Amino acid sequence: MMNVKRLLSILLALVLCLSFCAFASAEDDLSEEVHLIIYEVGDAPADQALVEAAINAKLKEKLNTTIEFQFTTWTDFQQKYANTLISSGADLIYIANWINYGLNANNGAFLELDDLLDTYAPELKEMCGEGNLNMCRVNGELYAIPSLWSEYVSLGIKYREDLRAQYDLPYPNSIENIEAYLSGIQAQDPSQGLLRPTNTEAAASLNIGFDLAYLLAVKYPWVAPYGMPYGLTANYDTPSDVYDYWFSDDFVDDCKLFKRWADMGFWSKSALSDTNDNEAYDNGLAVAEVAGMNPTSRSPLPRTLPRIIPSGRAPTSLTARPPASSIPAMRPRTAPRSCVPASIRSAP
């Protein structure tokens, strides 16, 4: 139980951005050093070891505890994540809805936290608030501590500004202009690859280069790029008005549009069997990425952050003009990350 208390103390320390108030009281027994493993999804960030060392210097002083960040990398991350849960190989672990949080919680992968928060970390519980904690509940039980920052999800199209300017083509900021941009490059240089669709294996690894569902976000102000389950969707300004996209005239028109694009050769006829190259755009083998990724993720581009509206509503403008080689043609949104790091594994 002492280790659990240390875990919650460390969670509070991380949430407070290493301000390191006095988490341990005078009666706490800190004579035994504890080493904890925090498992994260993705690649380790630059200077991760330096940050970890700085955190540990404070944790060692205050709590006689050290932590170790481990990362799945993006290669086979889903299998590695599952193996870590099965083997109980971590003390804290990143969770999210896209990494099967609800399913894993139902299967007993995590430790229930309500009583522990009340006993050992009431400050953390107060800081999170009941609303945020309730978003992390599964069947009424709390298994995760929510992140308290809002993530800006920038749905955009990355494109080749040099080719657009060279051939005097329109900015690809609408369905019509995207077609004109692609067909214009095709006419000038038939050997140039245009779009690199993403096969199933690559999509499972989040290596997405072109996805028609994200392209539709250019045309429709949907509440989510993919709409909602079973063909239902709703527009952002009228979220309570749900309609059936699959049985609409829009769906038929869009299918005809994409069939025409396929016939025009905007992507390979063998796209489903091609080995995906998630670096096709970087290597000049594609002239656009339509994948819902952050347009400023390319290292040569300035990393200017857009204005974030804390309420979660879509921002009406950005604080700075987007880089010339990326146009946020899809509607930007803010979204609270309801349940992210970390959840405590169930004790054996």
Side-chain angles (χ1 to χ4, degrees):
M1 186 59 71
M2 183 58 66
N3 281 0
V4 170
K5 186 172 183 180
R6 300 253 192 116
L7 284 169
L8 292 173
S9 295
I10 289 171
L11 272 178
L12 182 56
L14 294 175
V15 169
L16 288 173
C17 300
L18 305 181
S19 59
F20 289 97
C21 302
F23 301 115
S25 61
E27 66 270 15
D28 291 334
D29 180 10
L30 301 179
S31 61
E32 179 184 356
E33 181 176 348
V34 174
H35 181 73
L36 303 172
I37 294 175
I38 302 177
Y39 200 63
E40 299 280 358
V41 174
D43 297 322
D47 295 332
Q48 178 268 328
L50 294 176
V51 173
E52 183 177 304
I55 294 174
N56 279 332
K58 295 291 186 179
L59 289 177
K60 177 65 176 175
E61 175 188 353
K62 299 293 184 180
L63 295 172
N64 195 22
T65 302
T66 56
I67 61 173
E68 176 186 346
F69 289 102
Q70 295 183 359
F71 295 82
T72 63
T73 76
W74 288 118
T75 302
D76 299 326
F77 74 93
Q78 291 169 316
Q79 186 60 53
K80 294 175 182 175
Y81 187 92
N83 291 342
T84 299
L85 288 180
I86 293 172
S87 65
S88 297
D91 301 290
L92 295 160
I93 192 166
Y94 176 98
I95 62 91
N97 59 345
W98 54 269
I99 200 72
N100 298 323
Y101 167 60
L103 177 64
N104 289 323
N106 272 327
N107 290 338
F110 309 127
L111 188 64
E112 200 280 317
L113 299 178
D114 271 313
D115 291 342
L116 295 174
L117 282 177
D118 290 337
T119 303
Y120 297 111
E123 300 95 340
L124 178 58
K125 182 176 181 178
E126 181 181 0
M127 183 184 301
C128 292
E130 284 299 320
N132 288 326
L133 292 174
N134 287 340
M135 287 192 290
C136 297
R137 294 187 182 279
V138 177
N139 295 326
E141 303 295 339
L142 180 66
Y143 298 101
I145 302 300
S147 172
L148 299 180
W149 62 280
S150 294
E151 179 183 16
Y152 185 85
V153 181
S154 187
L155 303 180
I157 296 173
K158 293 182 281 286
Y159 71 97
R160 290 281 301 277
E161 169 61 13
D162 57 335
L163 297 180
R164 188 210 65 78
Q166 179 181 346
Y167 301 136
D168 192 24
L169 301 173
Y171 288 103
N173 56 4
S174 68
I175 294 290
E176 295 76 16
N177 284 350
I178 293 170
E179 180 172 327
Y181 167 76
L182 295 173
S183 61
I185 294 175
Q186 185 183 56
Q188 296 289 338
D189 185 0
S191 65
Q192 171 66 60
L194 299 177
L195 296 172
R196 184 63 65 96
T198 303
N199 59 30
T200 303
E201 179 182 356
S205 298
L206 303 183
N207 294 325
I208 301 174
F210 173 62
D211 191 320
L212 286 176
Y214 282 107
L215 187 63
L216 290 176
V218 177
K219 182 178 180 180
Y220 303 107
W222 285 343
V223 294
Y226 286 98
M228 294 184 290
Y230 309 110
L232 301 177
T233 191
N235 292 334
Y236 203 86
D237 294 333
T238 55
S240 61
D241 297 335
V242 179
Y243 65 94
D244 194 332
Y245 169 70
W246 286 352
F247 287 89
S248 68
D249 292 338
D250 286 335
F251 178 74
V252 176
D253 292 340
D254 292 337
C255 289
K256 292 178 179 178
L257 168 70
F258 298 138
K259 173 61 166 62
R260 187 175 78 249
W261 283 15
D263 293 341
M264 293 172 69
F266 283 3
W267 52 80
S268 168
K269 295 183 182 298
S270 59
L272 292 179
S273 59
D274 285 348
T275 300
N276 184 75
D277 179 4
N278 66 326
E279 297 181 347
Y281 178 79
D282 293 341
N283 294 332
L285 302 177
V287 299
E289 274 191 5
V290 185
M293 301 302 180
N294 188 344
T296 60
S297 63
R298 303 292 165 186
S299 56
L301 302 179
R303 297 178 179 270
T304 301
L305 294 178
R307 179 169 61 91
I308 296 176
I309 296 180
S311 66
R313 294 173 295 168
T316 56
S317 63
L318 304 179
T319 56
R321 178 179 175 81
S325 55
S326 64
I327 289 289
M330 305 179 195
R331 187 167 190 160
R333 298 173 177 87
T334 57
R337 299 179 67 177
S338 57
C339 296
V340 240
S343 183
I344 302 176
R345 65 174 169 83
S346 176

